[in-house]
Amino acid sequence: MTILNIETSTTCCSAAITIDGKPVASVEQLANANHASQLPVFIQQLLHEANVNDWHLDAVALSQGPGSYTGLRIGASTAKGICYGLNIPLIPVDTLQVLCASVPSGVLPDNELLCPMLDARRMEVYTALYQQQGTQLSTISEVQAMIIDADAFAQTLAQQPVYFFGNGAAKCQSVITHPNAHFVDNVVPQAQCMGLLAEMQPNSLDVKQMAYYEPFYLKEFVAAPSHIKGLK
């Protein structure tokens, strides 16, 4: 399959085209991205490259969350618009799995527990436990919003090593101090790593189903009072 992949769940923004799971073109801004202005430009570049190389898109894969409410909304609305325009299906992919796939090859030992963490403000993270076996990723625990304290993952860490990474892991490093806790720095979810995950998804959404699709927010969005004078 030829897939346009979109990832906007954090402050990073990326898009990529993959063919049979392998990236053939990608554009990304991995820090302090402005998703609303940058994502359309990224996609325009990729669609131009697809046209030049005669790549015909079969689907759009979307990193569906959890993550930044605003980022997920921008990614979802953009992906749905492309799918409607080209009459191709949408493939939602779990963002924590995308984060696992974005760890550079050879950094993590095989068969160990992986704990991707996305920042959910204060000492809360979106997280789950996975086990990597080759290219297969097995889910050990379901995605949850978790408040991190000194007892977090204590039972699991007492039994085996756990590898933590993602923008939520950095703030937890001073709290989770068990010798079996290992932290991997500078790992962000990247669209170019989504291809294989998208190919393995059992379900996709057709144009009619997309009308009812929303990102996986996990928590309800709560609007905070504005600090801008005149908007309170």
Side-chain angles (χ1 to χ4, degrees):
M1 292 179 69
T2 301
I3 300 175
L4 173 65
N5 304 268
I6 295 173
E7 211 303 307
T8 58
S9 64
T10 67
T11 57
C12 307
C13 179
S14 59
I17 293 176
T18 57
I19 298 178
D20 297 331
K22 297 180 180 180
V24 293
S26 65
V27 192
E28 57 189 19
Q29 174 63 46
L30 298 184
N32 303 318
N34 185 326
H35 301 76
S37 62
Q38 290 180 315
L39 183 60
V41 175
F42 291 173
I43 290 174
Q44 185 177 27
Q45 293 178 21
L46 292 174
L47 292 180
H48 174 73
E49 191 160 352
N51 184 56
V52 169
N53 290 281
D54 200 28
W55 298 329
H56 299 282
L57 296 182
D58 297 306
V60 175
L62 175 68
S63 179
Q64 68 168 348
S68 160
Y69 182 91
T70 302
L72 294 176
R73 294 289 288 184
I74 292 170
S77 59
T78 304
K80 290 167 73 172
I82 296 169
C83 290
Y84 282 128
L86 298 180
N87 194 28
I88 56 177
L90 176 68
I91 305 175
V93 181
D94 184 273
T95 297
L96 290 175
Q97 294 186 25
V98 176
L99 189 55
C100 289
S102 300
V103 179
S105 177
V107 171
L108 299 176
D110 206 16
N111 297 322
E112 297 290 0
L113 283 185
L114 313 183
C115 187
M117 287 180 165
L118 291 169
D119 190 5
R121 299 185 178 181
R122 299 184 179 87
M123 286 308 295
E124 191 172 20
V125 298
Y126 301 123
T127 190
L129 287 173
Y130 302 92
Q131 190 165 35
Q132 183 81 47
Q133 295 177 314
T135 59
Q136 299 297 315
L137 192 67
S138 302
T139 302
I140 306 301
S141 68
E142 296 301 319
V143 178
Q144 62 177 315
M146 182 177 185
I147 297 174
I148 301 299
D149 57 25
D151 295 324
F153 301 100
Q155 293 184 350
T156 304
L157 288 167
Q159 300 175 15
Q160 63 188 111
V162 179
Y163 289 79
F164 299 90
F165 48 89
N167 65 359
K171 68 182 184 183
C172 301
Q173 193 164 0
S174 61
V175 179
I176 303 175
T177 58
H178 193 282
N180 274 339
H182 304 278
F183 290 83
V184 182
D185 298 328
N186 302 319
V187 179
V188 299
Q190 295 177 265
Q192 64 178 339
C193 301
M194 291 173 57
L196 280 177
L197 290 171
E199 296 268 356
M200 293 187 293
Q201 295 304 309
N203 300 310
S204 60
L205 306 178
D206 62 26
V207 172
K208 291 183 179 178
Q209 293 171 316
M210 273 185 280
Y212 305 98
Y213 171 78
E214 288 190 355
F216 178 43
Y217 297 121
L218 190 58
K219 294 196 306 181
E220 290 186 7
F221 175 71
V222 178
S226 173
H227 296 289
I228 302 176
K229 185 177 180 181
L231 294 181
K232 294 184 180 180

